[in-house]
Amino acid sequence: MTEVLIFCSREICYLSGNFFANQIGAAFEELGIGAKVCELSEERSLEEQLEPLIGPEYRLILDFNSRLPRMVMEDGRPYLDRLNGPFFDYILDHPLFHYNGLTTETENMRVIVPDEAHAAYVRRYHPQIKSVHMLPLGGTRALSARGSDKAAEGQEKTGTAKSCRVFFPGTFDTPDAVYRLVQEASGPVKRAMQELIDMRLAEPLLPMEEAYERYLAGRQITLSDGEFALSMNAMYPVDAYIRDSFRKAAVDALLSARIPVTVMGEGWEKYHAPDERCLKRERGVLFGLSFERIAREEILLNVAPIFNRGMHDRIVAGMANETVVLTDENPYLRRRFPDKETLAFYSLRDMDTLCDTAARLMEDGARRERMARRAYHEFLAHDTWKCRARQILEWTGRGEEGTACGTGVSAVQEGGGR
């Protein structure tokens, strides 16, 4: 019996959405709850694929960066309102990218985001959404790591030696290329985007919406909440520029300090530095294969200024595979990991902190091993996909017996890059 219906309605980069859907589907199955993953095909009629799903009662319905909120049946009724069960859209970017989906007239709409500021944004600017929840994505252990893991038996860990380089898996575009979108905008929008970029470069922990509120207040401009959300949607190049600007700055700093770096993902052929002797480039792989690469690394770099009140799935991936995570700090991460022995932090405002922390990690193998093991146990306790499935079930009011894994979660243009 299908109790949970999980859609893949959109192709997200590296097929990550499909991967997430199948991971959480398997987690529900482990909990004894029947789950069906429905991957929508562009080659078949959507009506032919969607119509059979109307009628049965579902415990919950889930999608990632969903297209479904915009789909309307022939009678004009939103498709989601024809489904018999609460629908959750797990939005993996800033909600500004999902304006069209968040402003549809469906009544069967709940939202999950991996960032507390994003949750507050949806709650304020899209109040018609039935509920909003903050929940980081779950982590996945590489198959090769699972095969050699003897932690449960208390035996020595065995396996392939890890590479002691700083490893960053993620896409890249040159900030100059992204900035052309800013320059092509109309006068008022262009000026606003330029100032937002300056503010966020100076204050990396400043959420996008707070920067825009500050910009408008400085000019005594008043917008309704609806106008503000629509205007934010037009500012999407700001988020893209900030993401790539800090990714470039982090790699620049590490290479200048002669710290070996490996980057993996689309677009890194566009990156150039004065001295690239310590740099290796690798092509991107399908999302499910990325964990095998992460498992072979000692240090995983996270640069996520667009998630400055939450936790990017790159962090959980490192934790799951006993790879030390070197990440830009933010209030959520500091609150969840106050010991400084689970994650290694640096500040985006001072790239010297990145280089210093990376150098110390590379020199201290005992500390790396200690941190990696500690983070792995934290992952097992709080950040598996089974933990995420339990938590989402609780939000339906029909959770499993027992408590969800403690994650510190709180209720509260399409798609950005991973």
Side-chain angles (χ1 to χ4, degrees):
M1 175 183 172
T2 299
E3 297 179 76
V4 174
L5 179 61
I6 305 166
F7 282 98
C8 298
S9 65
R10 175 194 305 282
E11 184 175 307
I12 309 174
C13 55
Y14 306 117
L15 295 179
S16 56
N18 303 62
F19 182 84
F20 296 146
N22 283 283
Q23 289 293 294
I24 200 165
F28 283 119
E29 292 281 353
E30 285 185 52
L31 294 171
I33 297 168
K36 174 184 175 67
V37 176
C38 179
E39 299 188 17
L40 299 184
S41 170
E42 297 287 346
E43 299 175 359
R44 295 172 53 204
S45 161
L46 282 177
E47 183 176 341
E48 175 188 338
Q49 297 173 75
L50 296 174
E51 190 73 34
L53 303 173
I54 297 173
E57 181 179 357
Y58 303 104
R59 206 158 163 178
L60 70 90
I61 305 156
L62 179 69
D63 195 4
F64 296 84
N65 284 5
S66 185
R67 287 191 300 158
L68 297 177
R70 293 188 292 164
M71 293 183 179
V72 178
M73 304 302 288
E74 288 186 358
D75 61 2
R77 187 179 178 189
Y79 175 69
L80 291 180
D81 290 347
R82 299 281 302 277
L83 293 176
N84 191 5
F87 175 79
F88 292 82
D89 189 2
Y90 212 139
I91 294 178
L92 308 180
D93 321 292
H94 194 292
L96 72 89
F97 289 96
H98 298 267
Y99 175 83
N100 290 334
L102 290 169
T103 54
T104 56
E105 296 182 0
T106 177
E107 297 177 358
N108 186 19
M109 179 78 164
R110 297 149 187 84
V111 165
I112 304 171
V113 290
D115 185 285
E116 292 174 332
H118 295 179
Y121 179 88
V122 176
R123 194 180 303 115
R124 175 173 176 180
Y125 294 106
H126 300 283
Q128 80 284 2
I129 302 300
K130 293 194 75 168
S131 66
V132 185
H133 311 273
M134 185 275 189
L135 185 69
L137 289 162
T140 301
R141 191 151 170 82
L143 289 174
S144 58
R146 289 181 231 172
S148 63
D149 186 18
K150 299 186 182 297
E153 295 82 16
Q155 299 178 35
E156 290 291 327
K157 190 176 100 174
T158 60
T160 306
K162 293 192 172 213
S163 167
C164 195
R165 301 173 63 87
V166 175
F167 179 63
F168 178 77
T171 58
F172 177 76
D173 199 358
T174 61
D176 287 346
V178 179
Y179 200 74
R180 291 191 199 108
L181 296 173
V182 177
Q183 294 174 317
E184 291 168 1
S186 63
V189 175
K190 176 180 177 179
R191 285 192 295 274
M193 287 196 286
Q194 288 172 330
E195 293 214 20
L196 291 183
I197 286 171
D198 289 342
M199 280 191 272
R200 294 184 66 193
L201 288 176
E203 298 181 56
L205 292 179
L206 180 66
M208 170 85 158
E209 54 276 14
E210 290 185 25
Y212 192 36
E213 289 165 2
R214 188 183 300 179
Y215 172 84
L216 294 173
R219 283 152 186 77
Q220 298 183 323
I221 299 172
T222 301
L223 298 179
S224 69
D225 286 349
E227 291 169 334
F228 185 93
L230 177 60
S231 187
M232 276 278 287
N233 179 248
M235 303 287 174
Y236 74 91
V238 173
D239 234 35
Y241 182 88
I242 292 299
R243 179 195 64 212
D244 288 310
S245 181
F246 278 112
R247 287 183 181 181
K248 181 180 186 304
V251 176
D252 284 350
L254 291 168
L255 295 180
S256 295
R258 299 291 180 88
I259 294 173
V261 177
T262 299
V263 292
M264 184 185 79
E266 295 179 7
W268 284 102
E269 71 280 358
K270 304 174 189 176
Y271 173 83
H272 299 289
D275 186 348
E276 297 186 0
R277 285 176 292 177
C278 293
L279 177 66
K280 288 184 180 179
R281 296 179 178 86
E282 295 183 10
R283 297 180 65 178
V285 297
L286 292 179
F287 199 80
L289 299 177
S290 65
F291 302 100
E292 301 297 327
R293 281 295 292 111
I294 291 170
R296 301 204 305 266
E297 298 294 332
E298 290 272 10
I299 303 170
L300 175 69
L301 175 65
N302 182 55
V303 188
I306 58 177
F307 295 95
N308 52 33
R309 296 293 186 280
M311 183 163 72
H312 192 279
D313 55 273
R314 196 177 292 115
I315 295 175
V316 191
M319 294 169 64
N321 290 287
E322 297 177 77
T323 299
V324 176
V325 178
L326 175 56
T327 180
D328 49 314
E329 62 184 347
N330 70 52
Y332 173 82
L333 293 176
R334 282 293 192 188
R335 191 170 70 249
R336 254 208 76 182
F337 306 102
D339 57 18
K340 300 184 182 179
E341 286 297 317
T342 305
L343 305 182
F345 292 113
Y346 69 92
S347 170
L348 289 172
R349 296 187 70 171
D350 181 3
M351 286 300 177
D352 286 343
T353 62
L354 168 62
C355 298
D356 292 345
T357 305
R360 287 197 298 272
L361 285 172
M362 296 190 72
E363 293 167 0
D364 193 341
R367 186 185 178 208
R368 291 198 307 273
E369 186 172 348
R370 184 172 65 249
M371 292 183 70
R373 179 55 68 174
R374 187 181 186 97
Y376 175 58
H377 286 298
E378 177 74 14
F379 155 76
L380 288 177
H382 304 300
D383 295 290
T384 64
W385 280 108
K386 192 183 289 187
C387 289
R388 301 302 185 250
R390 285 197 185 104
Q391 180 63 76
I392 296 171
L393 283 170
E394 286 202 352
W395 289 329
T396 68
R398 299 172 63 183
E400 293 298 281
E401 293 207 4
T403 58
C405 302
T407 59
V409 297
S410 55
V412 289
Q413 207 78 32
E414 297 292 347
R418 305 283 313 151

